[in-house]
Amino acid sequence: MKPYTLTPLDVLFFRDGRPIETGGGHGARWPEPSVIFDALHAALWRAFPEKQGWEHKHDFGRSSHRPRQGDTQRFGSLKTAGLFPVLPDGRWLFPAPQDVAAAPDLDPDWLLRLQPAETTQTNLPAPWLKYVPASYAMPTKDEPAPWWTREAWLAYLTGRRPAASESFTNDDLFAAEWTTGIGIDPETQTQDGERIYSAQYLRLRDQFSAGFVASLPMKQNGRAEDTKECIESLLPDKCTIIVGGQQRACQVKPAPKTLAQALPVAGVINGTRVKWVLLTPAIFPEIRADTAKSIPAHPGGWLPNWIDHATGRV
């Protein structure tokens, strides 16, 4: 997957679930991963309204034996990850792990510890998920900084507490700006004479940007072995796409760093225990049983597909 940087040409709007009419439109928050996927998918449809020679067919449904229903499911191979904040010096930031406690710098209990849970008092999946994370740090109203650099992650993965200079807050990355708007009559497309509302917008700090990775593999002549990367057809050296609510323009260009340079990499594994941490939210696919191929069913969802949902074994 190829890394890109995205720089807004104006403020952005990523609304949460609160209604605009009552409490204001809260749109100054870092976007969910679906935002950049939806933006690129829509950009592909706008850029290529007619089927291209490098595309392969995507029919509706899940099985390779599904009946053909036309080419309505175009660009089904699109994959994205991000958006991630990018510092002015080019370093990418990633969400801090969720097992970090908001402990003072000298407190040794900076990580949550696993402890046995009473299964009758939790909603943990029985019978094999028996532990819950708990904080042993001194009580505090502070919260851990939500964004970490690659260096902070590398320290965490080796059991060391990251330096405070390697973590950032939302205020470090962007400002929230409130703007007053008016209600529009859908028939006349003029002010409806009734509604006045306020909306909150996200403005990145000076020289900050956002990073993401994207891939659009396409089979050539229906042959998987001849798959071609086609994301460059949409994202050349420099282009503009529409992102987020209210259709705000953003400039996209290839990132100067490779993906390997931006991402943290775990050290050598010694021992018999492995800890998986996701840098971005993920939903694992449901797998349907196929007795002919000896493939068991798996519910997917929050549970990785390489873990047996009945026993918890890897």
Side-chain angles (χ1 to χ4, degrees):
M1 299 177 77
K2 189 171 181 178
Y4 294 87
T5 57
L6 179 146
T7 304
L9 303 181
D10 198 350
V11 291
L12 298 175
F13 188 75
F14 303 117
R15 182 183 170 187
D16 63 8
R18 285 171 282 190
I20 289 180
E21 289 81 3
T22 56
H26 294 265
R29 64 191 188 103
W30 199 260
E32 303 294 336
S34 58
V35 168
I36 188 61
F37 178 90
D38 292 341
L40 293 179
H41 198 262
L44 284 166
W45 276 95
R46 283 192 293 264
F48 308 110
E50 302 295 332
K51 186 175 180 180
Q52 304 298 299
W54 41 261
E55 285 188 65
H56 67 254
K57 179 174 63 68
H58 285 89
D59 286 335
F60 181 80
R62 298 176 56 178
S63 170
S64 59
H65 303 293
R66 53 189 173 251
R68 179 181 176 86
Q69 298 183 11
D71 294 331
T72 59
Q73 308 298 309
R74 298 175 63 197
F75 314 117
S77 62
L78 175 65
K79 298 180 181 68
T80 64
L83 297 163
F84 300 109
V86 179
L87 297 174
D89 60 11
R91 290 181 296 165
W92 288 38
L93 300 180
F94 304 98
Q98 295 298 296
D99 61 347
V100 175
D105 289 342
L106 298 179
D107 195 315
D109 295 313
W110 64 280
L111 282 178
L112 303 182
R113 299 186 207 165
L114 291 179
Q115 64 179 15
E118 292 290 340
T119 55
T120 57
Q121 299 178 5
T122 73
N123 61 353
L124 294 175
W128 51 269
L129 207 54
K130 304 175 182 179
Y131 299 89
V132 294
S135 175
Y136 285 76
M138 294 295 293
T140 176
K141 293 184 178 180
D142 295 334
E143 295 183 356
W147 300 104
W148 283 13
T149 64
R150 181 179 187 269
E151 289 71 23
W153 267 94
L154 292 176
Y156 165 82
L157 292 173
T158 55
R160 297 177 289 113
R161 182 170 187 147
S165 60
E166 299 296 336
S167 61
F168 295 82
T169 66
N170 285 331
D171 287 341
D172 294 328
L173 308 182
F174 59 83
E177 297 184 3
W178 286 92
T179 302
T180 301
I182 58 175
I184 300 296
D185 188 307
E187 295 184 2
T188 64
Q189 292 299 306
T190 60
Q191 209 276 331
D192 60 11
E194 297 179 358
R195 292 175 295 166
I196 297 179
Y197 66 91
S198 60
Q200 185 190 52
Y201 295 83
L202 181 151
R203 183 182 295 277
L204 285 181
R205 302 292 185 188
D206 190 31
Q207 303 300 315
F208 278 75
S209 59
F212 68 93
V213 292
S215 178
L216 186 67
M218 289 286 181
K219 300 175 185 176
Q220 305 300 299
N221 303 316
R223 294 165 52 89
E225 57 269 27
D226 295 333
T227 298
K228 176 184 177 183
E229 177 57 70
C230 296
I231 194 65
E232 290 88 353
S233 300
L234 174 69
L235 303 175
D237 290 342
K238 195 174 184 180
C239 66
T240 301
I241 64 172
I242 304 301
V243 178
Q246 302 189 5
Q247 300 291 280
R248 299 303 174 114
C250 297
Q251 187 180 86
V252 175
K253 58 183 180 181
K257 286 188 175 183
T258 65
L259 187 58
Q261 293 172 325
L263 290 175
V265 179
V268 177
I269 297 174
N270 295 310
T272 59
R273 295 178 182 270
V274 176
K275 179 178 180 178
W276 287 293
V277 184
L278 298 178
L279 289 180
T280 184
I283 299 176
F284 295 92
E286 176 189 3
I287 297 177
R288 296 178 180 177
D290 189 333
T291 54
K293 297 181 180 179
S294 301
I295 299 177
H298 193 286
W302 68 272
L303 186 66
N305 299 115
W306 57 83
I307 297 178
D308 189 305
H309 65 94
T311 65
R313 291 184 178 275
V314 176

